[in-house]
Amino acid sequence: MSAAGSPPMIEVSDLWKAFGSLQVLKGISLEVCKGSAVALIGPSGSGKSTLLRCINLLEMPERGRVRVGDQIIDCARGKLPPDKELASFRARTGMVFQLFNLFPHMTALQNVSAGPLFVKKLPAGEAKELAMALLAKVDLADKAHAYPSHLSGGQRQRVAIARALAMNPEVLLFDEVTSALDPELVGEVLDVIRSLVEEGMTMVLVTHEMAFAHEVAKTVAFISDGAIVEIGTPRDVLEQPQNPRTQAFLARFHSFARTFAGTT
Amino acid sequence: MTAVTYNWDFSFLWMYRWLLLKGLGFTIVYTVGSIVFGLVVGLLVGLLRLSKSWLVNFPLVAYIEAFRCTPLLVQIIWFYYAFPVLVGVDIPAHAAGMLVLSLYTGAFYAEIFRGGVISIERGQWDAARAIGMRHIQVLRRVILPQAVKRMIPPFINQSIIQLKNTSLVSTIAVADLLYQGQLITSATYRPLETYTTVAIIYFAILFPLTVGAQVVERRLQKSD
């Protein structure tokens, strides 16, 4: 999938992960080229969120290799690399969560500036300036001093995106970021992600928004039972799936099917 | 049935006011001292208990449960009378008293700390780690500021109980408030007035504290 000449930005090879006796990932390999978006779709419990969490090592795979940019982590038997190495690895990737996970004791501004301030050790003034700029980017400059409990779900998620961007990551990981939102708030979050795609941000999205995946992703991977069953362009995977499991899964998204009927 | 006609007379206690005050002083010193030492012990043990290592956890759990599952009175007597035999060193009563009170309340504090930290949602750890914070930074910047808020009410409760607990050191002749009451009683043969006064002094100190604790608790709830 990588463009000729340049190596992919993310390279996951032969990743295995189990929780107790439950094997969640069964030898997954995936490449994401710089500036492209990959959407991971699949039934719940298929392992797509776990795969995402393995890419920034929030979960430690017991076997396999993860490379982001020029930093490689080789996993053997789930043994954790030193805390410092893990932290620096994670700082290269930004992650946005389904339940926002904003820090409730910090304002929107403090949430966004926490990374630059405490991890990158930027001077307070610079960190604040950066955070303000990012809040403006997600259209929340006027909410800079609000605590998360005073923000709507959509606003919280946009703050969370700004917080991830504040570390100037090479890659963004989105973990079902609209699943916990009221339907009328989904659009504002997707708009922000869309603009990031247009800016050429490399990203991996776990999503149930098939129409959105179709629109922004360069590659769609259907994951089922801990393995990538089908991978290709959105057109191939979402409109003309070859694998019966992909077909069965997508059949449930009738509205999607209607939306794209006739576009082939 | 004869009516109880007891002639209450508190006036003699005025003579013993300095003794009672001295006793109260001891009670407060033991309370504050054991809270401070207990806090140090509790913080260390509570945070170490977060370790996943069985080797670290086993002795700490043993300590906590030993102190939580035996009566404080038994612990005080054991440390004063039995422990010196075991180690061959005499421990003065005031040291034994302070030691046991601190270890006892430290065990409870440890559980309060641990409980506060593990009550914070996993997503907070995830989010803090995802922006590259190291373990200690996650604790300091994200987890503890939230956890401390949840720890404050049980911490205040435990500390209030601790003031009452100090009365048990009177059994090993530490000159606290209750012990002075016993001395006065044996000199005056007026236990009713003496122990009533002692009880009132404890109440007069603790009641405002419990009211204060409720105010703090309500404020913390509001700020959520």
Side-chain angles (χ1 to χ4, degrees), chain A residues 3-21:
Chain A
S6 71
M9 182 64 119
I10 304 176
E11 199 177 352
V12 169
S13 30
D14 195 28
L15 215 59
W16 292 76
K17 174 70 187 173
F19 294 112
S21 60

Side-chain angles (χ1 to χ4, degrees), chain B residues 197-210:
Chain B
T197 305
V198 166
I200 288 170
I201 296 175
Y202 277 114
F203 185 85
I205 294 172
L206 284 173
F207 184 65
L209 287 178
T210 57

Side-chain angles (χ1 to χ4, degrees), chain A residues 207-238:
Chain A
T207 187
H208 292 295
E209 302 278 342
M210 296 304 155
F212 186 67
H214 193 288
E215 177 196 335
V216 302
K218 200 166 168 189
T219 307
V220 173
F222 174 70
I223 298 182
S224 177
D225 198 21
I228 293 178
V229 172
E230 194 160 354
I231 185 165
T233 63
R235 184 166 282 219
D236 288 345
V237 177
L238 296 175

Side-chain angles (χ1 to χ4, degrees), chain A:
Chain A
M1 277 176 296
S2 64
S6 71
M9 182 64 119
I10 304 176
E11 199 177 352
V12 169
S13 30
D14 195 28
L15 215 59
W16 292 76
K17 174 70 187 173
F19 294 112
S21 60
L22 183 71
Q23 194 69 49
V24 182
L25 298 182
K26 301 169 181 171
I28 281 196
S29 298
L30 180 72
E31 291 177 355
V32 182
C33 0
K34 191 172 163 60
S36 81
V38 171
L40 306 177
I41 61 168
S44 52
S46 58
K48 50 195 194 308
S49 281
T50 304
L51 170 59
L52 205 65
R53 292 170 61 85
C54 281
I55 293 178
N56 72 349
L57 302 176
L58 281 181
E59 300 292 350
M60 200 60 203
E62 54 253 23
R63 195 137 62 79
R65 215 173 63 136
V66 182
R67 181 177 63 75
V68 174
D70 54 13
Q71 202 168 353
I72 300 174
I73 298 271
D74 260 305
C75 316
R77 294 267 139 241
K79 206 169 145 271
L80 242 61
D83 190 37
K84 196 173 176 178
E85 193 183 340
L86 268 179
S88 86
F89 188 85
R90 288 184 186 130
R92 315 173 72 104
T93 59
M95 186 159 193
V96 185
F97 302 86
Q98 180 176 2
L99 296 173
F100 330 126
N101 299 350
L102 289 182
F103 308 134
H105 58 300
M106 299 183 191
T107 62
L109 185 69
Q110 288 167 333
N111 263 281
V112 179
S113 61
L117 197 60
F118 302 135
V119 178
K120 284 194 168 170
K121 313 279 185 203
L122 246 58
E126 257 176 72
K128 191 178 165 188
E129 213 170 294
L130 172 67
M132 275 311 292
L134 287 168
L135 282 174
K137 187 185 166 103
V138 297
D139 205 16
L140 282 173
D142 56 327
K143 297 286 183 190
H145 300 291
Y147 283 90
S149 56
H150 294 148
L151 299 175
S152 73
Q155 291 170 332
R156 286 184 210 187
Q157 199 57 296
R158 284 185 282 150
V159 173
I161 293 172
R163 176 174 68 180
L165 289 172
M167 291 302 289
N168 195 19
E170 294 165 88
V171 167
L172 275 183
L173 308 173
F174 291 94
D175 191 5
E176 297 193 33
V177 294
T178 56
S179 300
L181 295 177
D182 291 336
E184 77 268 23
L185 303 175
V186 169
E188 61 189 71
V189 172
L190 294 185
D191 284 344
V192 171
I193 301 174
R194 188 179 289 117
S195 72
L196 290 170
V197 172
E198 282 160 11
E199 286 171 27
M201 175 62 85
T202 309
M203 60 176 78
V204 183
L205 310 112
V206 169
T207 187
H208 292 295
E209 302 278 342
M210 296 304 155
F212 186 67
H214 193 288
E215 177 196 335
V216 302
K218 200 166 168 189
T219 307
V220 173
F222 174 70
I223 298 182
S224 177
D225 198 21
I228 293 178
V229 172
E230 194 160 354
I231 185 165
T233 63
R235 184 166 282 219
D236 288 345
V237 177
L238 296 175
E239 293 176 32
Q240 293 148 348
Q242 302 302 306
N243 190 290
R245 279 196 281 179
T246 321
Q247 289 164 356
F249 174 76
L250 287 171
R252 273 179 263 153
F253 290 87
H254 291 302
S255 60
F256 163 76
R258 271 199 301 278
T259 309
F260 287 94
T263 59
T264 46

